[in-house]
């Protein structure tokens, strides 16, 4: 029988349900599918050791223990890890539920919240019972609506909100997947008589409403009644107590409470038990709960106070009962990965960044260019303030597209240039309205009426649309480019092609490590791969070379010379460029001279004893060279040590770990001198972008050295304790990618909005000299600019809101261009519509950037508390305004935001906001500036790493295995796992891995012979070795930086580093586990609500 075959409609995106007796399950999480054995939940059948604490007074459950649950609890009977079988039912993007609550003092320990079992609505979740019989399952299914789409219920308390989705539905997808995404509404409708909106909820075990008889009352969970159940107080022996909801909601979906105690086995099949349900997937059912009186059928349980503590052994909240990122990602891939995402409809939420999908541009910019925190924004500022959901867009103007999607068309309007609004200067786009037979157009941003120039005139069809609309990219597409006229160029003069200058540290450290020799060898071949336009035979980019230690050496590599000439500038206090002709050259013309120079540099400085370096004068010299050549360009700096030589920009060692957790901690993130900001400003004016490659053996003050790269739109790469044999592959891979990537130079970006909202804040690697223009000396396809919007007037539901991002830049060939991206959003007067159309991944991207900028000016603890408060307010507002009334003991999360707590906890535990003892000040500054310009996909995997089991799927299957949750509980010591977060790559090997697997992968005969810390897998001719190496190559290809592999053996000293990335567990630096943080958030929400 199919799980979905009960009376309610089949979910629109049905997926395999987790295993039940007699049901076949396709393999998920690496587990072979099978007809389930009689006890598929062996791992959860008994009480969990280590959590039997006595409850504190006033609580009926103890706080969750902070440590990761013992590994034994994660073992399934066969010795395999028991993977979270989150329901794979369809996931709707229901409204998110938020509630306003008062914040507790941030210092409160996370674990102090009482334990909250998280349950999906239709069923009460009780983790440790025996699995139900199939008769019970059938009985349950008959009356249960399995997370399918729901028909609207009569509005409760006069508000017409759509169906909220609640917390425990782990299979819900991010804002983009279900009912309110781009799918037709029709398929989301239930058949007549379908169940009312279902919420997954967390019954809070500590809040019981005293019943009339004085007995404690269980928190209630919403879900349909099972056949044969009544609303009265059932006898205590009945498997579930049913507490009645408010009268008007009584019939269609009643609330039931989940008794938390350890259940005796269920005997009678005519009393169906409710399974733990994750949006359609069931877990072990729990039986009757001793010591609980029957609930009083009358009053609802709003805001009830906890009853007297019960002498029950407390249980730890089952991790499988709370929303799983893995499940949400899987569901979105299954639901939305097969169909192209067509951008023609206003305000539709795109698939998740973790889903592979094709985009068809039909008038709105692709989500590869722009992603928003919400695609339906409040009409008024009051509503926005109430919800506290930040309204922001993460814009990646030069994003690289997959080969099957076309790059933006280039439109050439000749000398007249692109057509714009006379008042607000917005560019022609598909949303402009042509009137008076096509002779004029009304601007969609400011409503100004403009004349259409004669050469642009075209007649309108019967719908008022121009008859040539589909022939013109600017009238039919969301993204396109205009060729800019001379008016858009500096000094009204078309630009020259850009130049690259390689500036190489030749101090003792750089020579001794082998860096200089390696770099010079690589540059000989790399110069053939400079970026070029379209079909150009050779790159227009010119190159120059400088070496430096305490002084600078410039090289004349003019093609007419037999040998390169070196000129030394020792007056670093007053930097100038000693030569113009012969410094910047065409690679092909000067190839022999350049090759000769690159051969000579390592020999020239082979015996150097100079350990001191300068830094600011090097950047100054590169900028002056570009200024003299009248072109924009990029400096590639290869630097090894703190610049302590006497010169402008000289730094001192100010590394002080004692400042951590004090009010002065923020100084560690601030530059120690203002000289670099001034220098960066000059670089931006010249279009000089700086990419910095650091090779430190000790503190180099990344916070200060990264200022110029950060403000010029450049990148920072860091290779601590660089050794050629271990790090050359990573460094050379990053360098090749950095040199070859397409860059826009001397760029200015402006974001225009329609009346009612405006851009007020910007995050990223750029400089701003005024409040509207984002200035970028360079911008590549990996960088994003995050923009926050605020209301300045009321918005209109009918017309929606429009954004237009215009980027003016110089291409690699020296062509001046305008790239335009347009996006139309919906506007709403109901909070439920806002919560239904949010994108959690983008929200986390914004919140992380907001927090990482906050540490520059505020104590880290204040920043953390601000994040927690905002998240609690978002969820409290949903709870208060959008969720139907229910017990305060339930945690109800919006479907689109059910992963907000787990992801936010990852941000709070990150090295910047909560460093462990091993994290250096430089590491924190490095990560802080890196995250500032990350896109949504990068922050997603950076904060919640992917953990892939390698030995669960058949060896022949070369596709990427399904990920498992990032927790130690998910690791089985008989398996091998790959963990990646975009910067790091670990291969964890369990101590009990089969000998054959060890031999196939490492070429040694036993676990003990594997070298811990190994960074390259041996190339062996067998299926497993090829599969794993292919998978590693595939993961590296997806990321913008090369991830160096580290092999970690179970119980080895490196394992502590690996466990730092298991973000659902408690961290050594004091970060809460996911379960503890969820309880803490619940407590915060309840405080705000009360």
């Amino acid at each position: 029988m199919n799980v979905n075959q009960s009376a309610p409609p089949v979910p629109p995106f049905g997926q395999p349900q987790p295993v039940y007796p007699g049901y076949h399950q396709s393999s998920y999480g690496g587990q072979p599918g099978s007809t389930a054995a009689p006890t598929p939940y062996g791992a959860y059948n008994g009480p969990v050791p280590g959590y039997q604490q006595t409850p504190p007074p006033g609580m009926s459950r103890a706080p969750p223990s902070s440590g990761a649950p013992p590994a034994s609890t994660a073992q399934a009977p066969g010795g395999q890890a028991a993977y979270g079988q989150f329901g794979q039912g369809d996931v709707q993007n229901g409204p998110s539920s938020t509630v306003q609550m008062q914040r507790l003092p941030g210092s409160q320990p996370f674990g102090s919240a009482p334990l909250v079992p998280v349950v999906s609505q239709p069923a009460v979740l009780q983790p440790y019972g025996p699995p139900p019989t199939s008769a019970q399952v059938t009985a349950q299914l008959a009356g249960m609506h399995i997370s399918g789409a729901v028909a609207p219920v009569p509005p409760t308390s006069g508000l017409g909100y759509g169906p909220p989705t609640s917390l425990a539905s782990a299979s819900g997808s991010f804002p983009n997947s279900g009912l309110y995404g781009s799918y037709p509404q029709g398929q989301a409708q239930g058949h007549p008589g379908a169940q009312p909106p279902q919420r997954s909820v967390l019954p809070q075990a500590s809040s019981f409403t005293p019943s009339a008889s004085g007995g404690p009352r269980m928190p209630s969970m919403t879900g349909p009644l099972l056949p044969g159940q009544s609303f009265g107080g059932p006898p205590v022996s009945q498997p579930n107590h049913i507490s009645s909801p408010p009268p008007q909601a009584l019939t269609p979906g009643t609330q039931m409470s989940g008794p938390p105690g350890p259940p005796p086995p269920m005997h009678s099949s005519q009393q169906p038990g409710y399974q733990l349900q994750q949006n359609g997937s069931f877990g072990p059912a729990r039986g009757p709960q001793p010591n609980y009186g029957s609930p009083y059928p009358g009053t609802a349980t709003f805001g009830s106070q906890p009853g007297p503590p019960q002498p029950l052994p407390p249980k730890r909240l089952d991790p499988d009962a709370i929303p799983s990122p893995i499940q949400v990602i899987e569901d979105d891939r299954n639901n939305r990965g097969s169909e192209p995402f067509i951008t023609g409809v206003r305000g539709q939420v795109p698939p998740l960044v973790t889903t592979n999908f094709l985009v068809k541009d039909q008038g709105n910019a692709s989500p590869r260019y722009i992603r928003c925190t919400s695609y339906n924004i409040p009409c008024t500022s009051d509503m926005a303030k109430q919800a506290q959901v930040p309204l922001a867009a993460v814009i990646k103007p030069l994003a690289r597209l997959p080969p099957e999607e076309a790059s933006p068309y280039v439109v050439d309007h000749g000398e007249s240039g692109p057509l714009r609004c006379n008042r607000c200067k917005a560019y022609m786009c598909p949303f402009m309205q042509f009137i008076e037979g096509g002779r004029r157009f009304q601007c969609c941003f400011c409503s100004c009426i403009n004349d259409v120039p004669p050469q642009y005139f075209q007649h309108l069809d019967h719908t008022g649309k121009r008859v040539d609309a589909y022939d013109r990219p600017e009238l039919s597409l969301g993204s396109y480019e205009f060729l800019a006229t001379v008016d858009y160029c500096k000094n009204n003069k078309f630009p020259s092609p850009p130049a690259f200058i390689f500036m190489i540290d030749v101090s003792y450290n750089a020579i001794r490590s082998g860096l200089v020799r390696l770099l010079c060898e690589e540059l000989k071949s790399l110069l053939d791969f400079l970026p070029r336009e379209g079909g150009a035979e050779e790159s227009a980019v010119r190159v120059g070379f400088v070496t430096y230690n305490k002084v600078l050496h410039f090289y004349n590599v003019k093609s007419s010379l037999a040998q390169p000439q070196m000129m030394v500038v020792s007056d670093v206090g007053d930097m100038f460029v000693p030569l113009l002709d012969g410094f910047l050259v065409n690679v092909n013309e000067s190839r022999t001279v350049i090759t000769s120079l690159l051969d000579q540099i390592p020999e020239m400085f082979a015996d150097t004893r100079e350990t001191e370096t300068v830094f600011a004068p090097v950047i100054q010299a590169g900028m002056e060279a570009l200024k003299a050549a009248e072109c924009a360009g990029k400096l590639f700096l290869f630097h090894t040590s703190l610049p302590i030589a006497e010169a402008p920009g000289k730094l001192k060692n100010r590394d002080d770990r004692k400042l951590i957790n004090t009010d002065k901690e923020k100084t560690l993130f601030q530059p120690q001198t203002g000289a670099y900001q001034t220098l960066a400003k000059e670089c931006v004016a010249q279009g000089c972008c700086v990419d910095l490659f650091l090779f430190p053996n000790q503190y180099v003050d990344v916070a200060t050295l990264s200022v110029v790269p950060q403000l010029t739109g450049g990148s920072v790469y860091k290779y601590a304790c660089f050794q050629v044999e271990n790090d050359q592959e990573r460094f050379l891979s990053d360098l090749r990618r950095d040199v070859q990537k397409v860059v826009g130079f001397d760029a200015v970006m402006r974001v225009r909005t329609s009346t009612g909202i405006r851009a007020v804040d910007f995050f990223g690697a750029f400089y701003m000299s005024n409040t509207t223009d984002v200035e970028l000396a360079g911008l590549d396809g990996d960088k994003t600019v995050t923009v926050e919007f605020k209301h300045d007037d009321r918005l209109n539901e009918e017309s929606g809101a429009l954004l237009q991002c215009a980027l003016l830049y110089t291409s690699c060939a020296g062509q001046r261009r305008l790239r335009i991206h347009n996006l139309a959003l919906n506007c709403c007067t109901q909070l439920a519509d806002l919560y239904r159309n949010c994108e959690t991944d983008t929200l986390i991207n914004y919140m992380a950037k907001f927090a990482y900028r906050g540490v520059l000016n505020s104590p880290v603890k204040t920043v953390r508390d601000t994040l927690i408060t905002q998240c609690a307010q978002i969820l409290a507002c949903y709870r208060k305004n959008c969720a139907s009334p229910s017990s305060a003991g339930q945690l109800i999360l919006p479907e689109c935001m059910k992963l907000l707590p787990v992801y936010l906890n990852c941000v709070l535990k990150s090295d910047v906001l909560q460093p462990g003892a091993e994290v250096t000040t430089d590491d924190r500054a490095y990560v802080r500036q890196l995250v500032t310009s990350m896109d949504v996909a990068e922050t997603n995997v950076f904060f919640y790493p992917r953990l892939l089991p390698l030995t669960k799927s058949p060896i022949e299957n070369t596709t990427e295995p399904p990920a498992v949750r990032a927790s130690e509980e998910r690791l089985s010591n008989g398996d091998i796992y790959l963990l990646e977060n975009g910067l790091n790559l670990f291969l964890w090997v369990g101590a009990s891995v089969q000998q054959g697997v060890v031999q196939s992968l490492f070429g040694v005969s036993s676990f003990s012979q594997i070298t811990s810390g190994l960074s390259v897998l041996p190339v062996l001719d067998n299926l497993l070795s090829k599969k794993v190496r292919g998978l590693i190559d595939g993961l590296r290809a997806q990321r913008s930086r090369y991830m160096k592999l580290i092999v970690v053996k179970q119980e080895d000293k490196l394992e502590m580093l690996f466990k730092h990335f298991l973000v659902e567990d408690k961290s050594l630096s004091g970060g809460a586990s996911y379960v503890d943080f969820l309880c803490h958030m619940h407590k915060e929400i309840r405080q705000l609500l009360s």
Side-chain angles (χ1 to χ4, degrees):
M1 139 185 176
N2 186 306
V3 177
N4 287 328
Q5 98 183 27
S6 56
V10 178
F13 319 126
Q15 286 168 42
Q17 308 291 341
V19 183
Y20 251 142
Y23 298 82
H24 180 269
Q25 152 105 3
S26 59
S27 60
Y28 172 66
Q31 295 174 166
S34 65
T35 22
T39 51
Y41 296 98
Y44 300 114
N45 279 345
V48 182
Y51 294 97
Q52 311 297 339
Q53 308 139 338
T54 44
M59 283 194 203
S60 55
R61 287 203 175 188
S65 142
S66 55
S72 60
T73 63
Q75 297 298 317
Q80 295 183 350
Y83 289 96
Q85 290 290 7
F86 281 63
Q88 308 203 24
D90 66 333
V91 177
Q92 312 285 357
N93 283 334
S96 7
S97 73
T98 4
V99 195
Q100 305 274 354
M101 335 176 249
Q102 259 120 20
R103 259 260 317 114
L104 298 169
S107 55
Q108 280 201 313
F110 277 134
S112 61
L115 258 190
V116 210
V118 181
V119 215
S120 257
Q121 170 143 327
V124 175
L125 156 56
Q126 301 186 6
Y128 309 102
T133 63
S134 52
Q136 289 169 321
V137 177
T138 316
Q140 286 165 303
L141 291 177
M144 201 178 278
H145 180 88
I146 306 207
S147 134
V150 290
V153 257
T156 319
S157 61
L159 291 174
Y161 293 115
T165 19
S166 45
L167 169 68
S169 55
S171 60
S173 75
F174 279 179
N176 14 6
S177 59
L179 190 51
Y180 309 106
S182 60
Y183 289 99
Q185 292 287 333
Q187 81 191 68
Q189 301 306 320
H191 65 76
Q195 308 295 342
Q198 315 243 342
R199 288 191 315 282
S200 6
V201 289
L202 277 190
Q204 164 85 21
S206 68
S207 103
F208 299 123
T209 316
S211 65
S213 59
R217 166 146 182 197
M218 285 304 298
S220 60
M221 292 195 42
T222 318
L225 275 182
L226 294 193
Q229 282 186 321
S230 67
F231 281 98
V236 178
S237 61
Q238 192 163 340
N240 288 282
H241 306 280
I242 300 167
S243 62
S244 67
Q248 70 269 41
L250 204 64
T251 336
T254 43
Q255 302 202 324
M256 351 183 201
S257 62
M266 295 200 280
H267 299 296
S268 69
S269 56
Q270 62 270 35
Q271 290 188 341
Y274 289 80
Q275 304 341 310
L276 145 63
Q277 172 164 346
Q278 287 296 343
N279 250 11
S281 53
F282 300 87
R286 288 178 241 184
Q289 164 81 23
N291 302 330
Y292 280 90
S294 58
Y296 177 61
T299 51
T301 60
F302 306 129
S304 50
Q305 295 303 312
Q310 298 296 314
L312 285 171
K315 281 261 186 266
R316 177 173 168 275
L317 179 56
D318 178 7
D320 280 349
I322 54 184
S324 157
I326 304 305
Q327 189 63 51
V328 170
I329 288 167
E330 281 294 309
D331 288 342
D332 193 73
R333 281 180 181 159
N334 295 335
N335 295 338
R336 306 199 64 186
S338 52
E339 294 294 313
F341 178 70
I342 297 169
T343 71
V345 181
R346 182 177 85 185
Q348 57 177 336
V349 186
L352 300 188
V353 286
T354 44
T355 299
N356 282 328
F357 59 97
L358 270 183
V359 179
K360 291 194 176 167
D361 185 341
Q362 290 191 1
N364 283 292
S366 160
R368 303 191 205 287
Y369 295 122
I370 306 182
R371 276 187 179 266
C372 296
T373 52
S374 179
Y375 288 80
N376 201 332
I377 59 182
C379 282
T380 64
S381 58
D382 289 347
M383 194 171 153
K385 283 190 192 113
Q386 189 182 359
Q388 289 285 316
V389 176
L391 304 176
V394 179
I395 305 174
K396 196 176 181 184
L398 297 180
R400 286 187 313 280
L401 301 179
E404 51 274 26
E405 291 177 23
S407 296
Y409 288 94
V410 181
V411 180
D412 184 359
H413 281 315
E415 289 181 15
S416 61
L419 187 55
R420 306 176 68 174
C421 168
N422 291 329
R423 183 197 288 160
C424 70
K425 301 299 180 198
Y427 294 86
M428 179 53 66
C429 70
F431 310 123
M432 298 288 190
Q433 186 69 42
F434 287 88
I435 53 176
E436 297 181 21
R439 287 186 292 278
R440 307 175 92 185
F441 71 91
Q442 182 169 23
C443 176
C444 51
F445 293 93
C446 70
S447 303
C448 175
I449 306 283
N450 299 267
D451 289 328
V452 173
Q455 72 274 15
Y456 198 76
F457 173 78
Q458 185 55 271
H459 294 286
L460 308 185
D461 65 13
H462 65 285
T463 64
K465 205 168 187 169
R466 282 175 57 121
V467 296
D468 65 348
Y470 292 108
D471 301 328
R472 290 189 175 271
E474 73 273 24
L475 298 181
S476 55
L477 298 178
S479 302
Y480 42 89
E481 289 198 326
F482 291 118
L483 282 187
T485 57
V486 74
D487 306 335
Y488 292 88
C489 303
K490 231 181 234 176
N491 308 325
N492 279 355
K493 194 167 113 188
F494 281 114
S496 308
F500 285 179
I501 304 177
F502 296 91
M503 316 189 88
I504 306 167
D505 177 349
V506 288
S507 64
Y508 176 73
N509 280 343
I511 296 291
R512 189 195 60 180
S513 67
L515 168 66
V516 174
R517 188 174 297 279
L518 177 71
L519 174 59
C520 290
E521 205 50 50
E522 175 65 24
L523 284 177
K524 289 183 204 170
S525 56
L526 187 53
L527 294 177
D528 287 331
F529 297 96
L530 298 174
R532 65 192 73 182
E533 280 293 307
E537 287 185 19
E538 64 174 48
S539 174
V541 175
R542 291 166 297 162
V543 297
F545 300 90
V546 174
T547 56
Y548 67 94
N549 38 46
K550 264 202 318 198
V551 297
L552 276 76
H553 323 104
F554 292 79
Y555 297 93
N556 184 343
V557 283
K558 197 174 180 180
S559 58
S560 55
L561 296 174
Q563 284 293 319
Q565 297 172 347
M566 177 164 95
M567 298 183 186
V568 180
V569 177
S570 51
D571 182 6
V572 290
D574 183 19
M575 183 46 62
F576 68 97
V577 181
L579 76 159
L580 289 180
D581 191 30
F583 179 63
L584 294 178
V585 296
N586 175 290
V587 173
N588 287 339
E589 290 171 10
S590 298
R591 182 174 303 279
T592 51
V593 194
I594 291 173
T595 304
S596 172
L597 170 66
L598 294 171
D599 283 336
Q600 290 175 38
I601 287 175
E603 309 308 328
M604 269 192 287
F605 299 98
D607 300 323
T608 186
R609 287 284 168 266
E610 184 56 74
T611 56
E612 293 189 358
T613 56
V614 295
F615 188 73
V618 184
I619 296 175
Q620 182 85 33
M623 182 196 62
E624 297 289 352
L626 293 174
K627 190 182 280 185
E630 296 186 342
C631 69
K634 184 182 271 199
L635 312 183
F636 294 84
L637 247 83
F638 304 89
H639 190 80
T640 59
S641 57
L642 192 69
I644 54 171
E646 276 307 324
K650 173 186 174 180
L651 301 179
K652 60 180 192 291
N653 187 334
R654 54 167 188 159
D655 190 16
D656 186 0
R657 290 191 62 84
K658 292 200 286 293
L659 297 182
I660 292 178
N661 294 327
T662 69
D663 283 352
K664 288 190 177 168
E665 184 173 7
K666 60 190 175 199
T667 60
L668 298 175
F669 296 109
Q670 297 165 351
Q672 58 173 287
T673 161
Y676 288 96
Q677 268 119 327
T678 310
L679 181 57
K681 187 176 173 181
E682 293 173 27
C683 286
V684 172
Q686 184 47 48
C688 168
C689 174
V690 179
D691 279 359
L692 175 60
F693 292 79
L694 285 171
F695 305 86
N697 290 331
Q698 53 199 25
Y699 178 74
V700 289
D701 199 352
V702 172
T704 305
L705 296 190
S706 64
V707 166
V708 179
Q710 177 79 6
L711 291 177
T712 59
S715 307
V716 180
Y717 298 85
K718 181 166 158 284
Y719 310 88
C721 303
F722 180 81
Q723 294 174 304
V724 169
E725 59 277 14
N726 289 337
D727 300 298
Q728 77 169 44
E729 193 179 356
R730 179 176 158 226
F731 163 54
L732 294 180
S733 176
D734 285 343
L735 176 63
R736 286 169 193 148
R737 199 170 184 285
D738 198 54
V739 167
Q740 294 173 39
K741 64 186 171 190
V742 173
V743 182
F745 292 98
D746 217 352
V748 182
M749 183 180 117
R750 181 176 280 195
V751 178
R752 293 179 173 85
T753 54
S754 54
T755 312
I757 54 169
R758 62 192 169 91
V760 292
D761 207 354
F762 300 84
F763 303 82
F766 53 76
Y767 176 75
M768 290 187 82
S769 56
N770 58 37
T771 57
T772 55
D773 294 336
V774 175
E775 297 171 50
L776 303 124
L779 175 69
D780 60 54
D782 297 324
K783 298 278 190 311
T784 64
V785 176
T786 301
V787 186
E788 185 182 7
F789 303 98
K790 289 258 163 73
H791 287 75
D792 59 6
D793 203 347
R794 190 183 171 87
L795 291 166
N796 180 333
E797 262 188 298
E798 277 180 35
S799 52
L802 302 176
L803 316 177
Q804 184 179 80
C805 163
L807 178 79
L808 174 65
Y809 71 99
T810 302
S811 73
C812 293
Q815 201 175 45
R816 202 69 175 148
R817 291 185 176 182
L818 281 153
R819 180 169 288 202
I820 313 295
H821 298 298
N822 303 290
L823 185 63
L825 301 173
N826 286 329
C827 298
C828 58
T829 53
Q830 302 286 342
L831 283 167
D833 292 326
L834 162 69
Y835 284 108
R836 211 176 267 143
N837 292 281
C838 286
E839 236 256 321
T840 302
D841 292 332
T842 310
L843 201 53
I844 288 293
N845 180 285
Y846 165 83
M847 292 172 102
K849 290 171 180 176
F850 180 81
Y852 280 18
R853 186 176 67 183
V855 298
L856 291 171
N857 306 307
S858 307
V860 171
K861 183 179 177 307
T862 307
V863 173
R864 290 165 47 81
D865 289 347
T866 304
L867 279 184
I868 293 172
T869 305
Q870 184 173 14
C871 179
Q873 285 174 333
I874 290 171
L875 298 176
C877 174
Y878 174 81
R879 173 64 187 262
K880 182 176 172 188
N881 298 292
C882 308
S884 53
S886 57
S887 153
Q890 295 171 340
L891 172 54
I892 302 178
L893 300 180
E895 183 63 24
C896 292
M897 288 188 187
K898 63 184 173 193
L899 298 182
L900 188 60
V902 62
Y903 286 160
L904 183 73
N905 189 36
C906 296
V907 175
L908 294 170
K909 293 200 292 186
S910 63
D911 291 340
V912 173
L913 298 182
Q914 195 161 33
E918 75 293 342
V919 180
T920 66
T921 306
D922 274 348
D923 287 338
R924 296 177 74 197
Y926 174 64
V927 168
R928 195 196 76 78
Q929 61 81 32
L930 205 57
V931 168
T932 307
S933 47
M934 275 186 181
D935 71 10
V936 179
E938 288 170 326
T939 50
N940 174 272
V941 76
F942 177 74
F943 289 114
Y944 192 94
R946 280 204 293 177
L947 182 61
L948 306 171
L950 299 185
T951 44
K952 301 242 174 224
S953 53
I955 293 184
E956 309 75 52
N957 183 359
T958 53
T959 55
E960 195 178 284
V964 295
R965 295 171 67 168
S967 166
E968 195 177 352
E969 287 191 324
R970 309 288 163 172
L971 300 176
S972 153
N973 60 8
D975 289 316
I976 295 178
Y977 297 83
L978 203 54
L979 182 142
E980 64 117 358
N981 74 340
L983 297 181
N984 309 86
L985 191 58
F986 294 94
L987 188 72
W988 183 88
V989 186
S992 312
V993 169
Q994 292 174 2
Q995 188 179 339
V997 171
V998 172
Q999 183 72 52
S1000 298
L1001 211 46
F1002 301 99
V1004 295
S1005 54
S1006 69
F1007 174 79
S1008 59
Q1009 293 173 300
I1010 299 172
T1011 311
S1012 182
L1014 192 70
S1015 60
V1016 180
L1017 290 179
V1019 178
L1020 302 172
D1021 189 15
N1022 64 67
L1023 282 175
L1024 182 63
S1025 175
K1026 288 176 184 169
K1027 172 182 173 174
V1028 173
R1029 284 181 290 112
L1031 182 59
I1032 289 171
D1033 290 344
L1035 292 177
R1036 283 173 174 159
Q1038 293 172 22
R1039 305 293 170 214
S1040 60
R1041 298 187 177 222
Y1042 184 90
M1043 298 183 290
K1044 179 181 167 185
L1045 179 70
I1046 300 177
V1047 173
V1048 177
K1049 295 164 69 177
Q1050 188 176 6
E1051 308 297 340
D1052 186 79
K1053 59 181 184 295
L1054 273 175
E1055 199 181 26
M1056 295 316 292
L1057 178 62
F1058 171 76
K1059 285 181 179 173
H1060 175 70
F1061 296 96
L1062 299 177
V1063 289
E1064 289 200 18
D1065 300 337
K1066 186 177 170 67
S1067 70
L1068 287 174
S1069 55
S1073 69
Y1074 175 19
V1075 167
D1076 289 352
F1077 183 69
L1078 200 58
C1079 294
H1080 181 73
M1081 281 311 301
H1082 189 194
K1083 198 159 100 183
E1084 296 278 305
I1085 291 168
R1086 294 178 68 184
Q1087 282 213 303
L1088 287 178
L1089 289 176
S1090 60

